[in-house]
Amino acid sequence: MEKLFNIMELLGIIAFTISGAMVGIEKKMDLFGVMFLGITTAFGGGIIRDIMLGNLPPAMFESHRNIEIAAGTALLVFIIGYLTREYYSRHLDMIETINNVFDAVGLGIFTTTGIQIAINTGYGYNKFLLVCLGMITGVGGGLLRDIIAARTPVIFAKHIYAVASIVGGMSYLWFLDIDFQQSSAMTLSILVTFIIRILSTVKKWNLPRIN
Amino acid sequence: MEKLFNIMELLGIIAFTISGAMVGIEKKMDLFGVMFLGITTAFGGGIIRDIMLGNLPPAMFESHRNIEIAAGTALLVFIIGYLTREYYSRHLDMIETINNVFDAVGLGIFTTTGIQIAINTGYGYNKFLLVCLGMITGVGGGLLRDIIAARTPVIFAKHIYAVASIVGGMSYLWFLDIDFQQSSAMTLSILVTFIIRILSTVKKWNLPRIN
Amino acid sequence: MEKLFNIMELLGIIAFTISGAMVGIEKKMDLFGVMFLGITTAFGGGIIRDIMLGNLPPAMFESHRNIEIAAGTALLVFIIGYLTREYYSRHLDMIETINNVFDAVGLGIFTTTGIQIAINTGYGYNKFLLVCLGMITGVGGGLLRDIIAARTPVIFAKHIYAVASIVGGMSYLWFLDIDFQQSSAMTLSILVTFIIRILSTVKKWNLPRIN
């Protein structure tokens, strides 16, 4: 179980790092900027969650390993971006789509792992707090990425973003409640968030708006 | 006393939610964006204060009630905004004025309640910290609102904003010092902040600036 | 030793306050805005560091003295800016250069003092955390300054910024490791950060970028 959790977290870190690094390249940042933005996207949500929980210093500083993996991932994205730069500039739409998928994977994973960490810290009795912290963990990194890169935060511009995280988080608590195994609950709730995000992008679902 | 405090806090939450939701509508955000911005404006200052005080997790996560009220308020603002949308777009100045009044109510209430919470947490001896935390509680939500909505933060664009909060906060400590009842001290200091804010808007008071 | 540390911290506060206040004047902020931006630049990095370390409330609220000095410094910058306003607008390049030097002084000092504070708090065994916290302390104030002033954060726009802080921080730990006196280690590592920053500006060193 511990193991599945670590693998999931690692996948989330890699997915968000890729998404952040791609935004950095799009914004013509230099190598450091691309790596910084990738790492911030990957760890920002978790840092905000740990601050909220009073888990200080934040867990990410406990070990190098995850940051090294994120740094390596961002470097790789930069190199691939460099090698394919011709192709890159002519296919921005496709790049954006790929980025969206990685972002949705990270959103799903971090929502669920964020809730699990809050449960481990002893807040299992407060479901409202759990869902909030899951959303903060899932959404925080992308929000920081967009503020730093001076993009309109995806959370407002895109269809059903935080809502996907909230629904995914509630589904995790519900799966645990009806006695699913933790590994199944985790996997299923990640899929819930991921599918809602992707469907809402593909189908262009929109929340009402006043024009 | 406890009761007055809770009523005041609730009024502050409602006032700031309205102000945040109105900015969201103005920025053409969708329903979720409007609700998120309203809730962030209402709770942002308190979250920053609780982080500074090490009161973690922040108090807002302890109970649903206040968030439910904020969510309901924001929804109501959205519906009213929708029903009056014709009128809305032709009277932006008036809308802005209404928004300003709610913002000033929230600023006054949160400055004073922020100080009281810091006193309750045991920092009554450090008046400098108290006034700072009052200002952070009062100003924080609006600052987050403006950063997220990509508006020039009101705190810089508008006449005498944080200054009103600082003076109001000092007046609260002073009223307590000269042995006013807590309820009177609270009410009066909220009025101080509110009146300074409104007067400085109406009279267009300005701080010096280098052109 | 304690004394050297306090003097260094004070110099860092003054340098960053000047840098923040100058950006405020450049952005046509009013007196309060200029003072607020100067103070935020001076204390922002330390507040973020203290939150990360769980040192709450942040050290800056413990005493007035440093804030009074920062406020006085910002006021002085405002007055000088006012008296030389004719000159100012015709020599923006020179102003920018002066600002850069103060920023580099602050970066060097805060990187090193940030690490020392983390060591004092008991994290001497985790060198990775120390270098991260040094960078956060050094870079945080300028990052907040640029976000609030809606400038492109210097950390991305300028050559070798956070990198200078990271190298300077590592050099501090290395100087301590090879048994330099703390005062020498501090002075030398501040010089390392400062020299890297200035050289990279003068020589226009750049990190690779994808065009």
Side-chain angles (χ1 to χ4, degrees):
Chain A
M1 189 47 230
E2 177 77 6
K3 213 170 159 188
L4 176 75
F5 183 86
N6 287 338
I7 291 172
M8 284 300 178
E9 209 182 18
L10 204 57
L11 285 179
I13 287 171
I14 292 173
F16 264 164
T17 302
I18 293 175
S19 148
M22 287 175 77
V23 171
I25 292 175
E26 207 185 300
K27 288 280 174 178
K28 309 268 177 224
M29 289 182 177
D30 64 20
L31 176 58
F32 175 78
V34 169
M35 293 179 70
F36 184 91
L37 202 59
I39 292 172
T40 303
T41 310
F43 295 97
I47 289 178
I48 300 176
R49 177 201 61 222
D50 287 344
I51 291 174
M52 294 288 179
L53 286 170
N55 280 347
L56 299 171
M60 71 165 282
F61 296 117
E62 296 299 306
S63 93
H64 307 205
R65 210 204 42 165
N66 285 350
I67 296 207
E68 281 163 9
I69 289 169
T73 305
L75 185 59
L76 205 65
V77 172
F78 188 84
I79 292 171
I80 294 173
Y82 182 78
L83 296 177
T84 62
R85 62 194 180 284
E86 298 284 302
Y87 183 84
Y88 217 93
S89 49
R90 278 178 295 129
H91 295 80
L92 284 178
D93 276 11
M94 211 255 278
I95 300 290
E96 190 62 24
T97 305
I98 296 172
N99 194 338
N100 250 317
V101 173
F102 281 110
D103 190 88
V105 172
L107 183 69
I109 292 176
F110 278 4
T111 298
T112 297
T113 57
I115 291 178
Q116 189 53 47
I117 287 170
I119 293 175
N120 296 348
T121 314
Y123 292 101
Y125 62 91
N126 184 344
K127 297 199 172 182
F128 173 68
L129 173 65
L130 294 180
V131 173
C132 286
L133 284 176
M135 190 195 74
I136 287 168
T137 314
V139 157
L143 192 59
L144 283 183
R145 174 195 63 207
D146 294 341
I147 290 176
I148 293 176
R151 304 208 306 173
T152 311
V154 103
I155 187 175
F156 296 125
K158 292 225 182 111
H159 331 281
I160 321 278
Y161 192 88
V163 173
S165 166
I166 291 170
V167 174
M170 292 193 308
S171 80
Y172 182 54
L173 295 181
W174 186 72
F175 290 135
L176 290 179
D177 240 31
I178 58 172
D179 287 323
F180 271 47
Q181 272 195 298
Q182 207 186 332
S183 54
S184 323
M186 203 165 252
T187 315
L188 284 175
S189 67
I190 291 171
L191 276 175
V192 168
T193 308
F194 178 77
I195 289 170
I196 295 177
R197 262 303 290 140
I198 295 297
L199 269 184
S200 72
T201 311
V202 173
K203 303 267 185 194
K204 298 192 190 304
W205 286 342
N206 275 306
L207 289 168
R209 179 190 310 260
I210 302 173
N211 290 308
Chain B
M1 189 45 229
E2 176 78 5
K3 212 170 157 189
L4 176 73
F5 184 86
N6 288 338
I7 292 173
M8 284 299 177
E9 209 182 19
L10 204 55
L11 285 179
I13 287 170
I14 291 172
F16 264 164
T17 302
I18 294 174
S19 147
M22 287 175 77
V23 170
I25 292 175
E26 207 185 301
K27 288 279 173 178
K28 309 270 179 223
M29 288 181 178
D30 64 20
L31 176 58
F32 175 79
V34 169
M35 292 179 70
F36 185 91
L37 202 59
I39 292 173
T40 303
T41 310
F43 296 97
I47 289 179
I48 300 176
R49 177 202 60 221
D50 287 345
I51 291 174
M52 293 289 178
L53 286 170
N55 280 346
L56 299 171
M60 71 164 284
F61 296 116
E62 296 299 305
S63 94
H64 306 205
R65 210 203 45 167
N66 285 349
I67 295 206
E68 280 163 10
I69 289 170
T73 304
L75 185 60
L76 205 65
V77 173
F78 188 85
I79 292 171
I80 294 174
Y82 182 78
L83 295 177
T84 63
R85 62 194 180 284
E86 298 283 301
Y87 183 85
Y88 217 93
S89 48
R90 276 177 297 129
H91 295 79
L92 284 178
D93 276 11
M94 211 255 277
I95 300 290
E96 190 63 22
T97 306
I98 296 172
N99 194 338
N100 249 319
V101 173
F102 282 110
D103 190 88
V105 172
L107 183 70
I109 292 177
F110 278 5
T111 298
T112 297
T113 56
I115 290 177
Q116 189 54 46
I117 286 170
I119 293 175
N120 296 348
T121 314
Y123 292 100
Y125 61 90
N126 184 343
K127 296 199 172 182
F128 172 68
L129 173 65
L130 294 180
V131 173
C132 286
L133 284 176
M135 189 195 74
I136 287 167
T137 315
V139 158
L143 192 59
L144 282 182
R145 174 195 64 208
D146 295 340
I147 289 176
I148 293 176
R151 305 207 308 172
T152 310
V154 102
I155 187 178
F156 297 126
K158 291 223 184 114
H159 330 279
I160 320 278
Y161 191 88
V163 173
S165 167
I166 291 170
V167 174
M170 292 193 308
S171 80
Y172 183 54
L173 294 181
W174 187 73
F175 290 134
L176 290 180
D177 240 33
I178 59 173
D179 288 322
F180 272 48
Q181 274 195 300
Q182 209 186 331
S183 54
S184 323
M186 202 165 253
T187 316
L188 285 175
S189 66
I190 290 171
L191 276 175
V192 168
T193 308
F194 179 77
I195 290 171
I196 295 177
R197 261 305 288 140
I198 295 297
L199 271 184
S200 72
T201 311
V202 174
K203 302 268 185 193
K204 298 191 192 301
W205 286 342
N206 276 305
L207 289 168
R209 180 189 310 259
I210 302 173
N211 289 307
Chain C
M1 189 48 228
E2 177 77 6
K3 213 172 159 185
L4 176 73
F5 183 86
N6 288 337
I7 292 174
M8 284 300 178
E9 209 182 19
L10 204 56
L11 286 180
I13 287 169
I14 292 174
F16 264 163
T17 302
I18 294 175
S19 146
M22 287 175 77
V23 170
I25 292 176
E26 208 184 300
K27 288 279 173 178
K28 308 270 177 220
M29 289 181 177
D30 64 20
L31 176 58
F32 174 79
V34 169
M35 292 179 71
F36 184 90
L37 203 59
I39 292 171
T40 303
T41 310
F43 295 97
I47 289 178
I48 299 176
R49 177 200 61 222
D50 287 344
I51 291 174
M52 293 287 178
L53 285 170
N55 280 345
L56 299 170
M60 72 163 283
F61 296 116
E62 295 299 304
S63 94
H64 306 205
R65 209 203 44 166
N66 285 349
I67 295 206
E68 281 164 9
I69 289 170
T73 304
L75 185 59
L76 205 65
V77 172
F78 188 85
I79 293 172
I80 293 174
Y82 182 79
L83 296 177
T84 62
R85 62 194 179 284
E86 299 283 302
Y87 183 84
Y88 217 93
S89 48
R90 277 179 296 130
H91 295 78
L92 284 179
D93 277 9
M94 211 256 277
I95 300 289
E96 190 63 22
T97 306
I98 295 172
N99 195 339
N100 249 318
V101 173
F102 281 111
D103 189 88
V105 172
L107 183 70
I109 291 176
F110 278 5
T111 298
T112 297
T113 57
I115 290 178
Q116 188 53 46
I117 287 170
I119 293 175
N120 296 347
T121 314
Y123 293 100
Y125 62 90
N126 184 343
K127 296 199 172 181
F128 172 68
L129 174 66
L130 294 180
V131 173
C132 286
L133 284 176
M135 190 195 73
I136 288 167
T137 314
V139 158
L143 192 60
L144 283 183
R145 175 194 63 207
D146 295 339
I147 289 175
I148 293 176
R151 304 208 305 172
T152 311
V154 102
I155 188 177
F156 296 125
K158 290 221 184 116
H159 329 278
I160 318 276
Y161 191 88
V163 173
S165 167
I166 291 170
V167 174
M170 292 193 308
S171 80
Y172 183 53
L173 295 181
W174 187 72
F175 290 135
L176 290 180
D177 240 31
I178 57 173
D179 288 323
F180 272 48
Q181 273 196 301
Q182 208 186 330
S183 54
S184 323
M186 201 166 254
T187 316
L188 284 175
S189 67
I190 291 172
L191 276 175
V192 167
T193 308
F194 178 77
I195 289 171
I196 295 176
R197 262 303 289 139
I198 295 298
L199 270 183
S200 73
T201 311
V202 174
K203 302 268 184 193
K204 297 191 192 302
W205 287 342
N206 275 306
L207 288 168
R209 181 189 309 260
I210 302 173
N211 289 308

